[in-house]
Amino acid sequence: MAASEEIRNIARRNFEQAKLRKHADLAASETPTQAKAIEDNYEKALATYLDTLIEGFAEANSNWNQLVADAAKAEEELQRARESAEELPVRLKAMAKLTSSVADLVEAAK
Amino acid sequence: MTDLLTRSQCGAMSCRPRFRLCAPWVLLLATACAADRQGALELAKAGIGATSAISQEIDVRSDRVSNKIAAQNFNYAYSSMRNCRDGDQWTITIADGPEPACDVLAVATARSNAPVAVKLAELAAIIRLRARAVEKLTAAYRALGSEAEYDAGRELETAIDEATASATQLGTALGIGPVTEVVASSAKFIGGQLAENAHQRRLVRGSARLQAITRHLRLALEQERKRHEQVDSVAGDIEAETRRHLTTAGLLEASPTLREIMEASDFPAPDEGSLIMALEEDPRLRAATQVTAIADGGPNGDPALSAAIDLLAALEVEHEAFQARREVSTAAVSVSIDRLAEIVERASSADPQAAAATWEE
């Protein structure tokens, strides 16, 4: 699969995850800090997705394979956190990690 | 704009024989023939009309991007402040509150670097570059008109240089690079025997350079359209989120959506009072209408930018006709201008209505 397509797929899945879980996570949140973190994660996922849509990704960085592996691992961690009904703080960290790993991919491919 | 010698006096697009019949030798030596002047004036008129129509489109689009930034800020604050309460008491502060996530000024300050706003601001910057490029192109077409009416000296070259610089700036921001410059000697080849004196050469060369800028602007618009389509694919989410929040706050007026649903089903809609009464009496009807109002309708393409691209393409065809010494006709350009104006008019009148329906209640 072309690098650009791979990045877009991961970014899209990340954004869809953020979108799908946002309202459920907000309903489960108890503190202003938690609600803010959920909104921050969602917005970062949205911005990263926008970035991947707009960028052409002409060249892949030399660390590409490692970065893809990191993003895939972050996706799995998030999935596990969701499936095992982990507490909200754990899910929040997993979501933030996935978004930043996708952002790393986007940055490296520029 | 007036002409010294009209086409009816001189016939078709042929200069040399006509000068013997229509113009004094002094005029022959000093200026371009009437058909060249007329063609250049038609081009100038078409160019000014086209760029003015595109300017109108920019105003509407610029508002749309600003609205998306505002909607995202609203969504963020409304969502993230949901837990700013102690029991039944809200703990939202206006300044210097103990919890920054619940302080209006602290959140507002943090929003200036919000990631989505930054991305949308990049798009807004491209729209501003296009606005400047179009403004400079309008000025260059005005200068072409002046050059056709009288010998305007360096005015045309200067205006085209400025338009080229602006179009290059826009092209660079969109990844298509600079405007392709017309080689000085090529105007003679393009115009053939037309370019037989300095004034004629200036008109032909001016047309060739304006065509290059127009083409560049068209290519830039194609790139910009892609960006808007990409942004629109997530903007729907931002707008749907706003409608969701307004519904939560009990502010979404359902009757306009219900009226649209009825119109789409070809069922005659009753008066406003009856609609409101039906919505109040039937919670299921109200719920179904609210679901329809909140849900994202999906992207619907970008007809305004497509019309602007077609308009510039039509203008390029007339430049080619002028340089090949065929008759310049602005009919196709006029049709494209009307089409773009109609789309822009529809968009600008639809937006305030939609905004009013959403925000007024």
Side-chain angles (χ1 to χ4, degrees), chain A residues 15 19 22-23 26-27 29-33 35-36 39-40 42-43 46-47 49-51 53-54, chain B residues 72 76 79-80 82-84 99 101-102 111 114-116 119 227 230-231 233-234 237-238 241 244:
Chain A
F15 174 58
K19 200 166 78 170
K22 181 183 156 184
H23 295 288
L26 275 172
S29 70
E30 290 167 355
T31 67
T33 311
K36 184 179 180 303
E39 197 56 41
D40 284 341
Y42 169 76
E43 192 167 55
L46 178 61
Y49 184 48
L50 262 176
D51 218 1
L53 284 171
I54 291 170
Chain B
Q72 179 58 18
Y76 178 94
S79 232
S80 68
R82 61 172 286 137
N83 295 330
C84 296
E99 173 56 78
C102 297
R111 293 307 295 164
V116 173
K119 295 284 159 222
R227 294 216 178 184
Q230 288 153 352
V231 169
S233 66
V234 295
D237 286 308
I238 296 175
E241 189 73 1
R244 179 188 281 265

Side-chain angles (χ1 to χ4, degrees), chain A residues 22-104:
Chain A
K22 181 183 156 184
H23 295 288
D25 284 349
L26 275 172
S29 70
E30 290 167 355
T31 67
T33 311
Q34 280 182 340
K36 184 179 180 303
I38 291 163
E39 197 56 41
D40 284 341
N41 277 339
Y42 169 76
E43 192 167 55
K44 276 180 202 154
L46 178 61
T48 308
Y49 184 48
L50 262 176
D51 218 1
T52 56
L53 284 171
I54 291 170
E55 290 298 330
F57 304 121
E59 290 174 21
N61 187 280
S62 55
N63 294 327
W64 176 247
N65 288 338
Q66 184 57 48
L67 291 166
V68 171
D70 289 348
K73 196 173 156 203
E75 269 189 293
E76 282 169 19
E77 279 176 19
L78 178 63
Q79 195 62 29
R80 263 203 308 277
R82 298 247 156 98
E83 282 170 4
S84 61
E86 290 272 18
E87 290 300 314
L88 180 62
V90 176
R91 292 207 303 271
L92 281 176
K93 274 184 198 161
M95 185 72 230
K97 199 170 166 187
L98 173 58
T99 300
S100 60
S101 71
V102 177
D104 286 346

Side-chain angles (χ1 to χ4, degrees), chain B residues 281-302:
Chain B
E281 286 176 357
D282 186 348
R284 188 165 50 138
L285 178 69
R286 190 167 62 244
T289 307
Q290 285 171 331
V291 166
T292 311
I294 293 168
D296 180 11
N300 60 353
D302 205 324

Side-chain angles (χ1 to χ4, degrees), chain B residues 5 9-11 14-25 28:
Chain B
L5 300 167
Q9 285 172 301
C10 295
S14 170
C15 295
R16 198 169 286 170
R18 269 181 298 135
F19 276 119
R20 296 201 181 100
L21 298 171
C22 306
W25 278 103
L28 168 64

Side-chain angles (χ1 to χ4, degrees), chain B residues 74 242-258 260 272 276 279-280 286 289-290 293-294 352-361:
Chain B
F74 173 81
T242 305
R243 292 193 292 275
R244 179 188 281 265
H245 291 323
L246 292 170
T247 305
T248 306
L251 290 174
L252 189 74
E253 175 64 72
S255 64
T257 305
L258 183 55
E260 279 176 25
E272 188 68 9
I276 291 169
L279 285 163
E280 278 172 3
R286 190 167 62 244
T289 307
Q290 285 171 331
I294 293 168
Q353 278 172 12
T358 311
W359 292 91
E360 263 179 19
E361 305 154 31

Side-chain angles (χ1 to χ4, degrees), chain B residues 110-173:
Chain B
R111 293 307 295 164
S112 58
N113 290 320
V116 173
V118 169
K119 295 284 159 222
L120 292 173
E122 285 168 9
L123 195 62
I126 285 172
I127 296 171
R128 281 197 297 277
L129 283 178
R130 174 154 67 98
R132 196 160 58 191
V134 169
E135 187 189 318
K136 294 289 182 189
L137 188 55
T138 307
Y141 274 110
R142 283 191 203 289
L144 178 69
S146 303
E147 180 66 46
E149 283 189 312
Y150 57 91
D151 186 344
R154 286 278 307 154
E155 188 188 325
L156 178 59
E157 283 288 305
T158 306
I160 291 178
D161 286 346
E162 287 179 9
T164 302
S166 284
T168 290
Q169 215 177 354
L170 173 66
T172 305

